[in-house]
Amino acid sequence: MFLKKLLEQRHTLSFRLTLWYGGIFIISSFAVFLIFYLSVASVIYGRIDDELSEDMEEFASYLASKGFEEFIREVRDEIDSEDPEKVFFRAMRSDGSEIISSDMSLWGNPGIGKKTLKHMSSGETAFETIFIPLKSYNTRIVHKKIGQDIIMQTGILLEKETRLMSVFKKVFGISMITTLFIAALAGWFMAKQALSGVEQVTQTAQKISEGAIDQRVSVKSGGNEIEQLANTFNHMLDRIQKLITEMREMTDNIAHDLKSPLTRIRGAAEVILTSNNSQNEYEHMAASIIEECDNLVEMINTMLDISELETGVRKIEFRKIKITDIVQDICELFEPLAEKKNQLLLCNASEQLMIFGHVKMIQQMVSNLLDNAVKYTPDSGVITVSLHKNGKNKVVLSISDTGPGIFEEDLPHIFERFYRADRSRSKAGSGLGLSMVKLITTVHSGDIIVQNLSDSGSKFTVMLPDLSFSS
Ligand code: ADP
């Protein structure tokens, strides 16, 4: 069960981090131990070598100063004073024949290796560590040529030292296992702590994929990398949720706006099919079907234009244009419409101003704003168009009317696609005009604001960079 869980975890980042952490911890602990072990070993064995060397020097000086007989006596005294199981002394001739020695049957009569012989012939003290099968521990042996034809050999059983080092190894083994366990636990805990934010992001993403789009990752205000990730994730979700809501609203609006003209077209076609009308009435009905279709096509075209502009698919070529001329032309175009409603259309656009832009788009922008002004202003109202330059290198176009104005609650939404204030439903329209205006100002690096006038009516103000600013 535990193994199964562990296997499931093996691809997770927490598991890998734990593995890395534990691995690095163990390797470095092992390296530290090894250095420590080797240092202790070199001190302990170095001390033994020093003692053995001193013995050799003593024997050599005895032989040199007091003669062969005294030397033999000294060796015998040493043999008698030491435990024959633990220390041996042996004096030999160069041909290997023994002069005096401890009971070598207890030591299996160790010979002298070639390497040792080579060392001795150059006058050096030669050390070696060997394992004698009769003994349970290693033996450290020293050889030295102390006279013309005398080789002295002393061996010492490394019992205490080997025991000490094996206790040391045991303690290390236990410490390593405990350390590994603690390192793995600490590593796992740290990895879990560090990645808990990522887990939260994953869980939230899972819930969202199951449909709970309003879920968010709870973020502390610490600002570490994971919290920043969670924050970015939450922002992204806000944006996606907003887009989804907008898209839903848009599809609802499209469905709503397509339904009424289509119902009217169907009704007219049905009447043509089922009733006996005069040629004149048929022509009238066909004309109204054509008009409805034209409106539908215009609405679809506007939607396509907006989406092309928004996605940047449409390449717009800007050039130096005379905005004053455009505004004057559009005013002239709307004059008859305003007259029809007995409205006064004032056009204050005399200052010759240039901008860097697209003629058709600017025409459409001014038309949409004027069309709304004429449409929503009641008969005998006044519409004022004004074009001037303000001090901040901006060309300002304002269109104000004496119409009903816009409800405060509608103001933040009127530039949204398909948004139509409830009281405007009686007038023809698609709710796309102002969103197109907003887009056009945006692609011209400009801005648009709307405000209600104190008496009555509303005022739309478009600000565009003037030529000197954009070029
Ligand atoms: P519509 O096709 O409905 O005119 P628009 O996008 O041009 O669509 O305008 C959105 C809404 O803004 C309108 O439905 C209307 O409620 C409001 N609006 C726009 N211009 C005016 C105006 N000059 N006076 C009053 N309300 C306006």
Side-chain angles (χ1 to χ4, degrees):
M1 187 72 184
F2 175 73
L3 200 72
K4 203 178 151 204
K5 268 197 167 173
L6 202 71
L7 279 177
E8 277 169 11
Q9 293 278 323
R10 74 185 189 284
H11 294 302
T12 63
L13 201 54
S14 317
F15 185 79
R16 285 180 195 185
L17 279 176
T18 309
L19 219 62
W20 273 101
Y21 182 79
I24 291 171
F25 204 84
I26 282 296
I27 290 171
S28 34
S29 310
F30 187 78
V32 170
F33 168 78
L34 202 68
I35 294 167
F36 189 58
Y37 179 86
L38 292 176
S39 316
V40 171
S42 102
V43 169
I44 290 175
Y45 294 121
R47 221 188 58 220
I48 288 190
D49 285 357
D50 288 348
E51 273 175 27
L52 290 172
S53 293
E54 265 174 39
D55 283 353
M56 285 295 146
E57 294 305 325
E58 263 178 43
F59 288 135
S61 71
Y62 243 90
L63 184 65
S65 59
K66 300 200 174 156
F68 183 72
E69 293 305 321
E70 277 301 311
F71 160 70
I72 296 293
R73 192 170 301 125
E74 173 64 17
V75 176
R76 181 163 297 125
D77 284 350
E78 285 289 340
I79 290 171
D80 293 341
S81 67
E82 296 288 351
D83 180 352
E85 288 281 358
K86 292 184 179 168
V87 181
F88 77 82
F89 297 92
R90 182 156 70 161
M92 294 180 286
R93 298 278 175 210
S94 305
D95 59 4
S97 56
E98 225 173 68
I99 304 167
I100 182 166
S101 79
S102 308
D103 181 1
M104 292 311 282
S105 63
L106 297 170
W107 295 88
N109 201 12
I112 302 174
K114 271 188 194 160
K115 225 172 150 190
T116 310
L117 277 174
K118 209 174 145 197
H119 271 290
M120 275 193 301
S121 61
S122 56
E124 285 175 37
T125 311
F127 293 96
E128 61 181 345
T129 303
I130 58 166
F131 182 73
I132 297 169
L134 291 172
K135 305 281 175 196
S136 316
Y137 304 100
N138 281 344
T139 305
R140 186 74 170 160
I141 303 179
V142 63
H143 307 80
K144 189 169 170 78
K145 198 169 175 193
I146 56 168
Q148 192 59 35
D149 191 26
I150 299 173
I151 292 170
M152 190 66 208
Q153 191 187 34
T154 303
I156 183 162
L157 196 65
L158 298 172
E159 186 182 347
K160 267 193 293 181
E161 294 73 15
T162 313
R163 271 201 193 141
L164 182 74
M165 293 319 275
S166 80
V167 167
F168 194 66
K169 276 188 210 158
K170 253 187 217 157
V171 168
F172 170 72
I174 294 166
S175 330
M176 278 305 256
I177 293 169
T178 322
T179 313
L180 178 68
F181 188 68
I182 293 170
L185 265 181
W188 182 253
F189 177 74
M190 272 159 45
K192 276 275 166 201
Q193 279 285 103
L195 297 174
S196 67
V198 178
E199 236 163 63
Q200 269 194 47
V201 174
T202 315
Q203 279 168 8
T204 312
Q206 253 162 12
K207 281 184 197 152
I208 288 168
S209 69
E210 285 157 14
I213 187 82
D214 53 341
Q215 287 284 324
R216 294 291 178 274
V217 186
S218 55
V219 200
K220 289 184 209 126
S221 54
N224 68 28
E225 289 83 344
I226 304 284
E227 281 154 5
Q228 278 173 21
L229 168 77
N231 256 326
T232 317
F233 185 69
N234 282 346
H235 279 142
M236 186 186 77
L237 289 177
D238 288 344
R239 178 118 184 82
I240 291 175
Q241 189 173 10
K242 193 169 169 259
L243 280 175
I244 291 177
T245 318
E246 275 176 16
M247 267 171 65
R248 271 192 201 139
E249 278 172 10
M250 207 167 87
T251 6
D252 284 356
N253 286 328
I254 292 176
H256 182 270
D257 285 328
L258 287 182
K259 202 177 155 194
S260 322
L262 284 175
T263 315
R264 284 197 294 274
I265 291 171
R266 195 189 179 282
E270 213 173 86
V271 171
I272 293 171
L273 264 182
T274 53
S275 50
N276 266 337
N277 291 312
S278 65
Q279 178 73 18
N280 211 358
E281 281 167 324
Y282 283 138
E283 279 172 11
H284 183 73
M285 276 184 245
S288 69
I289 290 177
I290 290 172
E291 198 186 318
E292 294 280 10
C293 288
D294 283 351
N295 286 342
L296 281 177
V297 170
E298 196 189 314
M299 188 174 110
I300 290 164
N301 281 342
T302 313
M303 274 162 55
L304 288 174
D305 285 350
I306 289 177
S307 104
E308 277 181 12
L309 274 180
E310 264 185 354
T311 50
V313 172
R314 189 192 289 182
K315 293 276 160 280
I316 315 154
E317 281 189 18
F318 285 167
R319 59 188 177 81
K320 229 164 121 176
I321 55 173
K322 292 177 177 169
I323 188 165
T324 312
D325 291 356
I326 296 174
V327 172
Q328 281 171 353
D329 289 350
I330 304 289
C331 281
E332 263 173 46
L333 217 73
F334 274 84
E335 198 72 52
L337 275 178
E339 252 172 43
K340 232 179 173 179
K341 288 182 81 180
N342 213 12
Q343 292 166 335
L344 180 63
L345 176 56
L346 298 170
C347 190
N348 303 327
S350 49
E351 195 181 347
Q352 269 307 327
L353 296 173
M354 312 272 277
I355 61 160
F356 204 61
H358 191 275
V359 178
K360 284 239 162 74
M361 282 191 190
I362 297 295
Q363 280 173 341
Q364 190 175 1
M365 180 186 82
V366 184
S367 302
N368 286 6
L369 290 171
L370 256 178
D371 185 49
N372 280 347
V374 173
K375 187 162 69 178
Y376 295 112
T377 306
D379 291 2
S380 312
V382 181
I383 296 153
T384 314
V385 178
S386 128
L387 183 75
H388 61 272
K389 185 176 170 173
N390 80 355
K392 295 174 197 155
N393 292 326
K394 290 262 192 291
V395 168
V396 180
L397 167 74
S398 64
I399 297 176
S400 52
D401 59 54
T402 54
I406 299 158
F407 277 127
E408 285 299 315
E409 64 263 30
D410 293 326
L411 274 177
H413 304 290
I414 57 165
F415 293 108
E416 288 170 12
R417 239 175 281 180
F418 293 105
Y419 190 85
R420 304 198 72 209
D422 261 352
R423 57 178 167 167
S424 315
R425 296 277 168 192
S426 53
K427 308 261 184 232
S430 61
L432 289 172
L434 284 184
S435 52
M436 191 66 190
V437 171
K438 173 87 182 160
L439 251 178
I440 293 173
T441 55
T442 307
V443 296
H444 281 79
S445 314
D447 202 4
I448 179 165
I449 51 167
V450 58
Q451 62 204 115
N452 280 319
L453 297 172
S454 50
D455 305 341
S456 82
S458 51
K459 181 177 178 184
F460 287 85
T461 310
V462 177
M463 285 148 292
L464 298 169
D466 83 344
L467 190 60
S468 59
F469 184 71
S470 1
S471 56

